[in-house]
């Protein structure tokens, strides 16, 4: 077991090492679409790349998610065959429900185990590149017009 401080330091080292190993400016929160972001996630058991739709208004959140659902076959066949769509993804830390479209790293992983980091970094780099490319290609369609 790690203390909170040791765990924090390992998480910080994990992300700074990733940035040094694979330097790139990712789109992430800069999607230009309110409450929609691309994210990396890593914890003690899983590593994911995601598109999160976090609009507080459930109707708007689900409308945005439906646009992604209409592109699901394209995303699966041309970019990420293993993509998972979840219209009610629960965030434990905040207690919020969001819509999440994500790909999960399938190899054994823990942010506390440095031996698993390299495979996670390669997963992040490959899958976020594909997710970002898809997003950029279909951004105009995905964006909700008010």
């Amino acid at each position: 077991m790690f203390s909170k401080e040791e765990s924090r330091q390992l998480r910080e080292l994990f992300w700074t090492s990733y940035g040094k190993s694979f330097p790139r400016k990712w789109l992430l929160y800069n999607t230009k679409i309110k409450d929609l972001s691309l994210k990396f996630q890593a914890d003690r058991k899983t590593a994911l790349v995601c598109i999160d739709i976090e609009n507080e208004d459930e109707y708007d959140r689900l409308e945005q998610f439906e646009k992604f659902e209409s592109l699901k076959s394209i995303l699966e066949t041309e970019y990420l065959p293993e993509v998972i769509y979840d219209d009610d993804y629960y965030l434990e830390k905040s207690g919020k429900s969001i819509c999440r479209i994500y790909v999960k790293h399938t190899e054994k992983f823990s942010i506390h185990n440095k031996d698993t980091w390299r495979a996670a970094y390669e997963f992040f780099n490959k899958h976020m590149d594909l997710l970002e490319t898809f997003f950029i290609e279909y951004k105009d369609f995905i964006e909700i017009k008010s």
Side-chain angles (χ1 to χ4, degrees), residues 1 20 22 25 31 46 50 80 83 117 122 132 143:
M1 286 301 280
K20 288 177 183 175
F22 294 91
K25 177 85 170 125
T31 63
T46 59
C50 334
L80 298 165
V83 70
W117 288 8
E122 290 170 3
E132 199 174 79
E143 196 167 14

Side-chain angles (χ1 to χ4, degrees), residues 2-42:
F2 295 92
S3 71
K4 275 188 171 183
E5 180 58 23
E6 290 169 324
S7 182
R8 184 196 63 75
Q9 288 174 350
L10 271 174
R11 284 191 313 274
E12 187 176 301
L13 181 60
F14 174 83
W15 292 113
T16 54
S17 297
Y18 174 62
K20 288 177 183 175
S21 299
F22 294 91
R24 176 172 167 183
K25 177 85 170 125
W26 296 100
L27 194 60
L28 303 178
Y29 294 95
N30 195 22
T31 63
K32 308 282 192 248
I33 299 177
K34 186 179 185 319
D35 298 318
L36 189 142
S37 54
L38 282 66
K39 293 183 180 176
F40 295 105
Q41 181 177 321

Side-chain angles (χ1 to χ4, degrees), residues 27-34 36 38 51 64 67-68 71 79 131-145:
L27 194 60
L28 303 178
Y29 294 95
N30 195 22
T31 63
K32 308 282 192 248
I33 299 177
K34 186 179 185 319
L36 189 142
L38 282 66
I51 296 175
Q64 190 85 67
K67 288 193 172 202
F68 279 100
L71 298 168
Y79 298 92
L131 197 61
E132 199 174 79
T133 301
F134 163 78
F135 176 78
I136 291 166
E137 181 72 26
Y138 293 96
K139 181 181 182 230
D140 289 342
F141 174 76
I142 293 164
E143 196 167 14
I144 295 176
K145 308 292 184 207

